[in-house]
Amino acid sequence: DGGITQSPKYLFRKEGQNVTLSCEQNLNHDAMYWYRQDPGQGLRLIYYSQIVNDFQKGDIAEGYSVSREKKESFPLTVTSAQKNPTAFYLCASSRRQISYNEQFFGPGTRLTVL
Amino acid sequence: AQTVTQSQPEMSVQEAETVTLSCTYDTSESDYYLFWYKQPPSRQMILVIRQEAYKQQNATENRFSVNFQKAAKSFSLKISDSQLGDAAMYFCAYRGTGANSKLTFGKGITLSVRP
């Protein structure tokens, strides 16, 4: 089955610790994205990557970092610099960074910082 | 910058009835794409329907259809013969046609379906 996997589903961390969220896709998609979802808010773009070894900041990149060493993987690190990291994080991918192409989403990771 | 507005935070519909979810957007571009995504309680986002701005014909996918009014910058979603499985959050989204254009989401609307 082709799709996007995110792990873990729930993640708890202490304040001040960095944490890395995993995102893997086997759809052979070129583009990958990270979104943050807060209650009462839409999805906000954190980072996106159109090809391996390249990525761009989205609207709320501060306090986050990413890497794209493999086409299939786009991990997101939430650093201690992120002031309010507790949120639901969604990873997505698409065939290419073209407007009409559908973005497919993973099941998400709920991060809670204690 | 483009903005997407979903002014109704919640709506309710009787099973088998029809419901319309509203969305407006603001843009200075003439060509763009509009989407409706569904997020059920599982929180898995699923594309419901897509509309190209250059097409005058409204998109339709089975029980889901849109009313696209380009001049009014309005993009509403109509769900016919509502089913219990339609209960979810629905997000309207906009994307321009530039190489680095991003998907801009509205805040979403929670739809409940009464049996």
Side-chain angles (χ1 to χ4, degrees), chain B residues 69-86:
Chain B
Q69 301 288 329
K70 191 173 184 179
K73 296 180 182 175
S74 171
F75 182 60
S76 60
L77 175 69
K78 186 171 84 171
I79 306 174
S80 303
D81 185 26
S82 296
Q83 300 175 359
L84 295 177
D86 294 333

Side-chain angles (χ1 to χ4, degrees), chain A residues 79-92:
Chain A
T79 75
S80 56
Q82 168 52 232
K83 291 183 172 55
N84 186 18
T86 294
F88 187 66
Y89 292 87
L90 283 160
C91 177

Side-chain angles (χ1 to χ4, degrees), chain A residues 12-32:
Chain A
F12 297 88
R13 280 295 182 269
K14 292 183 180 179
E15 195 171 339
Q17 289 182 333
N18 291 356
V19 60
T20 298
L21 280 61
S22 168
C23 177
E24 303 277 335
Q25 55 97 0
N26 61 4
L27 300 167
N28 199 32
H29 285 171
D30 293 302
M32 297 187 73

Side-chain angles (χ1 to χ4, degrees), chain A residues 94-113:
Chain A
S94 66
R95 283 174 58 197
R96 276 188 294 173
Q97 172 73 348
I98 294 176
S99 299
Y100 60 80
N101 277 346
E102 175 185 353
Q103 288 188 15
F104 292 82
F105 286 81
T109 292
R110 171 70 184 177
L111 172 64
T112 302
V113 175

Side-chain angles (χ1 to χ4, degrees), chain A residues 40-43, chain B residues 4-6 89-92 105-109:
Chain A
Q41 300 283 333
L43 278 66
Chain B
V4 177
T5 302
Q6 295 179 254
M89 279 202 76
Y90 287 83
F91 292 94
C92 178
F105 287 86
K107 292 187 176 183
I109 178 170

